[in-house]
Amino acid sequence: MSGIWRQVLAAYTTDQHDERDREQLLALGAAELAHARSREGSPATAEDVQHIALQEFGLLIGITQARTALRERRTRHG
């Protein structure tokens, strides 16, 4: 399991993180899933991240937070 997924799992299942950090980690996990599920030539969108955050983690995030998570995901993976 990669480092980000360990953090996402901890954020989802424990009280280890404060609410703000928890939301950021789950948003980043949603961005990872959105990227993995996107089609070739069609990059993941902030709306994809919002949808996945809600469906997979029960987390309602704003468009700005979704965009930030996508940018961070791209920074980590180039």
Side-chain angles (χ1 to χ4, degrees):
M1 181 182 302
S2 73
I4 186 59
W5 288 114
R6 288 176 203 266
Q7 292 175 317
V8 168
L9 183 60
Y12 190 65
T13 60
T14 69
D15 292 333
Q16 178 179 339
H17 300 281
D18 66 28
E19 190 63 26
R20 184 171 183 262
D21 289 343
R22 178 183 176 276
E23 284 186 9
Q24 288 177 325
L25 286 168
L26 293 178
L28 185 55
E32 287 286 343
L33 287 174
H35 173 76
R37 294 175 183 175
S38 66
R39 296 187 186 130
E40 187 78 24
S42 178
T45 66
E47 291 81 7
D48 295 333
V49 175
Q50 286 182 300
H51 178 76
I52 289 171
L54 184 58
Q55 296 294 64
E56 300 294 335
F57 303 123
L59 179 66
L60 183 61
I61 62 172
I63 196 73
T64 302
Q65 191 171 13
R67 287 182 184 132
T68 300
L70 277 175
R71 272 194 307 275
E72 186 173 340
R73 195 247 160 236
R74 289 180 186 128
T75 301
R76 288 177 182 236
H77 297 284

